Amino acid sequence: MVTNISHKKPLPNWEELLQISQKNTTAKWILRTNKSPSTTTISSYLEGLKPGEKPPVLFYRDTHGWCPFCERVWLVLEEKQIPFEVELINLKDKPQWYKDMVPTGLVPAVKIAEELVYESKDILLTLEQKFESFPLLPKEPQEKSIALEMIENFDSNGLIKAGYYFISNSRFNSQQNTEITPEEKEVQLLNLQTTFEAKLDECEEILGKYPGVYFMPEFSLVDIMYTPGLRRLSANLPVFRGYSIYNNVRFPRINQWLMAIDQRQAYQRIKPNTQTNNLVMESVFGLQPIYDSKLAPKIDINQEKDYRMEAAGRLSSNYQTVVADIVKNSGIKAWVNQENLPTIESVIDLYLRRLVYYLIEGSIPLFSDSSVNAKTEPQNEFKEKTNADAAVGAIALAFLRNRVCVPRDMSANSAVALQTAIDTMLSCIY
C-alpha cells in the first residue's frame, strides 16, 4: 500500500539517494564520467580477484547491451564465473582503433591474456577451452561431438532466420518481391508461418533427444547459442505478428526450455526485457507493432526490494543524463523558452528524486504545488506546486517509463520494478 509522507520532511539529494540504494542492492556497476551511458554493469565475480590482479578477460560489447551476439558471450562469462572488464563500443560511431584491431569491425570481441578473439561462436569455444571452471560442454566424447556439431550448424539450421522472415513478412529477405498484391502478400505470410513452425517442430524434436529440459543432458554452449534468438522471437512475435510461442501446446519442450533459461541466475543478470526486444525491432528495423503483448512482466517478490534498490541506484547514477534526455527528446523543450529551461530542469529533477525515494522507501512524498530548486534543497521546504509543474512531472515520468531499455540501464527485473513504480507515481500526481 502506498502512503504519503509529510511535506515538511526534506527529500534526500542525489548523493544521499545513491548511497542508500547502493548499500541495499546486490547489483554492481561502475560510473563512466562524461560518457553515455553514464554507467555500465560489471562482472559479478571481480571481488574474487586478488588485490591488484587484473581480470583475465577484456570484453568488447555494444554500448547499449542489446546485441544478441554479445549476449552469448556475456552469458558464458557469467555462467563460468570468469571475472572480466568491459569496453563499450558505439556501433553508430566505432572508434578507429577498434576497427583497426578487429578485422570485421563487429562486436563482440575479447582479449584473453592479450590474445584477440572475435566472432561470438569462436569466443564461446575459446572461453570454454581456456577456463575449466563450470564446463559448458559434455565430458563424454560422443556427446561433446554432438554438441560441437550443433554449435557449428546453428547458423545454417534456419530457425532464427525463418522467425524473422515471418515477423517482417520477408522484410529481411533480400530476394523478396515488393510488387505483390495484398492477396499474394497474405499467402506469402502464411507460407512464412508454415516454414517457421516447421523449424520449431525440428527444434522441439531436438530437445526431446535427451531427458531434461536442455538441448544436451546438462545446460551447455548449445543452449547459449539458441538463447538470444529464441528469447527475442518469443517477445517479438506476439506484438508484431499476433503469434505466440509461449503456452503454445504445439511446442511444450520449447516452453519448458524457455522457462528453464529464464530461471538461471546468470541469465537473470544479463537478459534484456520484453519491452527492449520490441523497441529494438521498432527503432532499428522500422517494424510497427500490430498487437499489444499479453505477457505481463513478473518479478520474484522475494527479490523485489533488491530490484527496486538497483533501479534507484542506476537512476541516481544517471540522473543528469536522464534529465538532459527528457528535456531534449520528450517534447517539453518545444513549448519552453530558454530562460525558463533551468526551472523546468529543476522540476524534472525533483520528480525523478521523488521516484527514487518511492523505490527506496515504498512511500511517495506529498506533491507540493510549486517546484523546488534542486540546487538549494533540502534547505528549502516544499512549496505548493502548480499545475504546470505537475504536467512537466507527468511528461517526464511517462517518457522515462517508455524509454527504459535494458541492459543498457539496469537488469530486466529492475526495469520492471522501475516501470511499476512510475505507473504508481503517475496515478498520484493529479
Side-chain angles (χ1 to χ4, degrees), residues 42-49 77-84 134 265-266 269:
I42 61 175
S43 166
S44 303
Y45 301 100
L46 289 179
E47 293 177 355
L49 296 174
L77 290 166
E78 289 289 333
E79 284 283 355
K80 293 181 72 65
Q81 301 187 14
I82 302 170
F84 62 92
F134 304 95
Q265 186 177 8
R269 287 194 287 267

Side-chain angles (χ1 to χ4, degrees), residues 178-290:
T178 57
E179 297 180 2
I180 59 176
T181 65
E183 292 78 12
E184 291 172 330
K185 193 171 185 179
E186 199 64 36
V187 171
Q188 175 180 273
L189 183 61
L190 181 59
N191 290 336
L192 291 169
Q193 178 177 335
T194 300
T195 299
F196 175 55
E197 288 178 325
K199 293 295 182 181
L200 288 174
D201 287 336
E202 292 175 10
C203 184
E204 186 80 7
E205 183 178 348
I206 294 171
L207 281 167
K209 289 185 177 180
Y210 292 97
V213 296
Y214 299 118
F215 283 93
M216 303 303 296
E218 302 290 338
F219 180 81
S220 71
L221 292 181
V222 179
D223 299 290
I224 289 174
M225 290 292 291
Y226 277 85
T227 293
L230 269 178
R231 288 280 305 186
R232 281 163 172 73
L233 287 174
S234 299
N236 298 153
L237 283 163
V239 174
F240 297 99
R241 195 49 64 203
Y243 183 94
S244 182
I245 298 176
Y246 283 110
N247 300 320
N248 191 323
V249 295
R250 181 169 173 173
F251 312 114
R253 294 191 183 97
I254 293 176
N255 271 266
Q256 289 178 342
W257 179 84
L258 287 167
M259 288 188 289
I261 294 298
D262 197 54
Q263 291 168 3
R264 297 194 69 83
Q265 186 177 8
Y267 189 63
Q268 286 287 326
R269 287 194 287 267
I270 65 100
K271 71 175 183 177
N273 65 354
T274 298
Q275 173 177 300
T276 297
N277 287 330
N278 291 326
L279 285 175
V280 170
M281 292 299 291
E282 290 185 56
S283 62
V284 177
F285 298 107
L287 298 182
Q288 294 302 310
I290 301 173

Side-chain angles (χ1 to χ4, degrees), residues 28-47:
K28 306 295 181 185
W29 61 90
I30 58 173
L31 292 174
R32 306 173 72 242
T33 306
N34 297 324
K35 293 183 179 180
S36 181
S38 302
T39 63
T40 185
T41 303
I42 61 175
S43 166
S44 303
Y45 301 100
L46 289 179
E47 293 177 355

